[in-house]
Every structure is written in C-alpha cells, then in structure tokens.
Amino acid sequence: MNMHSPETMVQPPTPPRDLSEMRLPMVMMRDILIKTMFRKSLTALSDLAEALCVPQHITQELLDIARQNRLVEATGSLNASAGGMPGFQLSEAGKARALDALAQSEYYGAMPVPLDVYREQVARQSIRNIQITREDLTRAMGDLVLPPSLLSNLGPAVSSGRSILMYGPPGNGKSSISNGIRDALGDRIYVPRAVEYAGQVITVYDPVVHCAAETERDDPGSLRRKRGFDTRYVRCQRPTVITGGELSLDMLDLVYNPTARTYQAPLQFKSMGGIFIVDDLGRQAEPPQTLVNRWIVPLEESKDILALQSGEKFEVPFDTLVIFSTNFHPNEIFDQAALRRIFYKIRIDGPDQQDFLKILALVARKKGITLNEDALVHLLHEKYPQIDNVYANYQPVFLIDQMIAICNFEGIPHQMTPDLIDRAWDNMFVREGAVVR
C-alpha cells in the first residue's frame, strides 16, 4: 500500500487510447452515441466528443462504425465552430434505432466506466492510503476547542480508514468533528460519471454529493485531447455523505428508475473514497443493530453486494470511512458482536470549565460582544450549579446568540450582563412541571 499525505496528488485515470481500451460492448457505445446525437441535437465531432467524455479520435471511430451501419451520415458541410470539420447527422434508420435504444434505456451522454476498470481507480485513490498528521487534523478542526487526548484517539482512527463510532451526550460537537475529519482529507479523487456492469448503466457522479475541483475543455481543432485524465471521471474533493434520522436500509440499495430504465448508485457507493457519516444513530426507523448488520460485510471485507432488478447480485468495492455518531451509550443500542466490527469507539464528552470559557471567549470575539466579569461570575456560580456544572460545547453559541437577539429587541448595544444571562439561560432548558391543557 502506498501511503500519502492529503497534499499528495492521486494518480489519475488515463484516457483510453482506442475503442478496445474502453472495454465496453460495441453496441452499447454505438447506441449511446446515436442517443446523444438524437437527444442533444449534436452534429459536430468536437461537441460529440465533449458530450461523450471521450477523445475525439475515439468518437470518430464510433461515428465511422455508425456510418457503416447506415445510422449516421456526413452532412457534407463544414462546421465553422468546430475548426472547419465536417458535420454528422442521424439517418432515418439512425433515428429509428435511437428511439429503439431509448426505449431500452434513456441513458445518454458520458460513456460509462466498466466496473472492473473503476475498481482499479478505487485502489489507486483509496481512503486507506492517506496518512494524516496531528497538524493536519488540528488545522482542519478550525476553532473547535478539543482536548489533546481526543485528537490522539481520532488521528489513528482516521488514518486507518476504518469505521469509527463517536458517542456521548448531545451538543458536544460530534457532527462538527465529523466535518473536521472530512476537511482533513484535503486531496482530490476521480469520481466516474457512470459505471457499467452486465450492460446496465449506474449513474454515480452527483452534484449534490460531489464537489468538482475544476472543469477542463478540449481544443476543438485538435483530434486528440490535451487533458491529463480520463474525463469520464470528474475530479472532485473527497466526497462526504451525511445522513441522519432519515436513513433507511433501502437507501443503501441500487435505485432503479423504471421510466429511464437506468440505475442510480446508493449513498455508500457515491461516498467511495470519502466519508459516510451516520448522524443521530438511534433516531432512524430501523434499529441501530439492523443498520450495522447491513454494514458487517463491507466493514470487514472492503466490499459490498448490490442487486439488479433481475435479482442478479454483484460485488462492488467498499472504500469508505464510515463514522457513526450517537447520543446513546453503545451498550444500549448494539450487542457485543456488532461493537467488535466497529474498529474505533471514541467518547466525545463536554468541555471542562476552562475549555468552556475558551469557547465562550472565541464566540464572543466573533460575535462582537465584550466579556463581562460580573456576568461570567453569575453564570459560573449561580446558573451552572443548577445543572451540576455540566458544560456542553453548544452552550456558548446558544447563550451569546440569545443575548444578541434580546439586545436587538430591546434596542440596546450588544452586551453581556447578569440579567441578560438569566434571560438567555431560561431559553436553553425546558422548565419542569405539568402543562395545563
């Protein structure tokens, strides 16, 4: 395994040199070409190459095959916008074939990447190949005030690329820490627009999940692309999928669109090479034990099993850092067999008084409020003893935002006073006692 830091470049997928290196069925490639011409009304070679995300010389080979099949014909005119190159159009037979092909699958555009080819790229950019340092993790956590012992536990867990369970009382930054872990993995990987298995197309790239790093274009006058990687992939930041109480088991299966007759990759496949965060574990409809049982094979064997509509099952890579975050104690929601399969169990507690004051000072400075000694003494000696001096990371932001809102309502400068502390405190907790109906 070749370990690298987040600053190291991931080896990109190389563009195919000819049709044989596409490793796709010839009829599938030809049909995607004519469906793309039909749906997007494209006639220029350069435009078709860009839409198909393959080099122009390969696009030309496909056009030649389609012309031999009498599905495409040259227009006989030169396209000025494409460097004076000839244009192409579908013949009547080509239009009929395009409609037939669309009836079988509405997919058109970028040529898919064969699943076996994608496996090779997954190995090159594996999340388990990253080695982060304490400095990387500290920097990524930004303004979070965390004890050094917590970073000491998080660092090895993240570098391993294995599963992590973060547990502890609510409001102490488990979600923020998960986002910081994501930011620590600062390199770029290559996400396929779609993959192909057994003649079926599975779309993968999702702008909602994936953040593209940049866009490149070909020189229209060049028969060979100038790009440094296979643009059937999109160069992206390592993806992060965050789910909460809405997560259900069927969201981890292939999604079949019966109208388009194509598949969409499930959430864990879209997060390949990145992070899958299951927040608020224990709030889902399915019991936590059931959810973790679904992950047992992927977590232990780095592979997942998906199924087509036909019932055929097939194996896909599983290269994802899974982070479970819960407010429940693990022994309440898991049996010991399930806990054994989660490699790192890290408790996230609230801050002590010293760290609480550090967070309060940071928030006050950001919000433009001056700390007031009388107000702080009142807060620490009068209010917190009411809750047994249990501090939480969310409380400084909550209290200061409440005081700002009160000041705005009263039309007074933003400030901190014992009275404002009392009014803000009252909104932080629900009062005990029965509600009169």
Side-chain angles (χ1 to χ4, degrees), residues 85-373:
M85 299 170 64
F88 300 90
Q89 65 183 19
L90 292 175
S91 65
E92 290 304 314
K95 292 174 185 177
R97 176 57 199 164
L99 288 170
D100 273 348
L102 286 165
Q104 297 172 40
S105 168
E106 275 282 344
Y107 184 83
Y108 63 91
M111 289 288 177
V113 177
L115 179 59
D116 285 342
V117 174
Y118 180 44
R119 289 182 204 278
E120 299 167 5
Q121 185 60 32
V122 169
R124 285 192 288 266
Q125 61 195 25
S126 172
I127 195 165
R128 297 187 182 183
N129 293 350
I130 292 183
Q131 181 64 56
I132 67 169
T133 64
R134 181 180 292 271
E135 291 72 24
D136 294 328
L137 197 53
T138 301
R139 184 169 55 251
M141 292 299 167
D143 291 336
L144 292 179
V145 176
L146 303 175
S149 59
L150 177 56
L151 290 176
S152 297
N153 290 330
L154 280 175
V158 176
S159 289
S160 75
R162 311 302 287 267
S163 52
I164 301 172
L165 171 64
M166 294 193 295
Y167 66 98
N172 284 311
K174 292 185 289 295
S175 298
S176 297
I177 290 169
S178 297
N179 291 333
I181 291 172
R182 172 198 62 195
D183 294 341
L185 307 174
D187 59 346
R188 306 286 189 267
I189 64 170
Y190 298 87
V191 177
R193 300 173 193 272
V195 297
E196 175 270 342
Y197 172 78
Q200 301 297 318
V201 176
I202 303 167
T203 59
V204 180
Y205 175 71
D206 182 347
V208 175
V209 171
H210 302 109
C211 183
E214 72 278 304
T215 301
E216 295 184 86
R217 295 181 65 87
D218 277 335
D219 173 6
S222 172
L223 285 177
R224 292 188 178 271
R225 68 174 55 220
K226 302 298 184 184
R227 307 179 205 191
F229 66 90
D230 182 350
T231 51
R232 290 179 294 169
Y233 296 81
V234 182
R235 187 169 183 256
C236 299
Q237 297 176 7
R238 286 190 181 267
T240 299
V241 171
I242 303 176
T243 64
E246 78 283 1
L247 179 64
S248 58
L249 286 175
D250 59 5
M251 295 168 68
L252 306 179
D253 296 330
L254 282 175
V255 179
Y256 181 70
N257 184 327
T259 303
R261 290 165 293 281
T262 59
Y263 293 87
Q264 184 179 119
L267 293 176
Q268 73 277 15
F269 198 100
K270 290 181 180 180
S271 68
M272 194 88 70
I275 303 176
F276 191 110
I277 299 172
V278 183
D279 209 358
D280 285 330
L281 187 65
R283 307 290 182 194
Q284 293 77 18
E286 279 99 353
Q289 182 76 44
T290 302
L291 288 172
V292 170
N293 286 346
R294 168 63 179 81
W295 296 92
I296 285 177
V297 170
L299 291 176
E300 288 193 339
E301 302 184 21
S302 298
K303 64 182 181 181
D304 198 5
I305 306 296
L306 300 178
L308 299 174
Q309 280 289 104
S310 63
E312 179 184 354
K313 295 183 177 181
F314 61 104
E315 186 180 298
V316 297
F318 185 86
D319 185 70
T320 304
L321 172 61
V322 181
I323 301 177
F324 300 103
S325 173
T326 183
N327 299 329
F328 296 95
H329 193 282
N331 290 336
E332 297 176 9
I333 56 178
F334 295 126
D335 63 22
Q336 291 305 306
L339 283 175
R340 280 201 310 272
R341 290 174 166 90
I342 300 175
F343 286 82
Y344 294 89
K345 278 77 78 172
I346 300 175
R347 183 177 174 88
I348 310 294
D349 282 314
D352 58 19
Q353 187 182 95
Q354 183 178 359
D355 282 345
F356 170 82
L357 290 173
K358 284 182 185 177
I359 298 169
L360 189 70
L362 282 170
V363 175
R365 186 165 63 247
K366 277 189 172 183
K367 305 278 186 176
I369 284 188
T370 302
L371 294 179
N372 176 274
E373 185 175 350

Side-chain angles (χ1 to χ4, degrees), residues 61-77:
E61 289 182 68
L62 285 172
L63 283 166
D64 290 342
I65 290 170
R67 290 178 70 187
Q68 291 170 12
N69 297 152
R70 302 185 183 279
L71 302 175
V72 168
E73 54 196 20
T75 61
S77 59

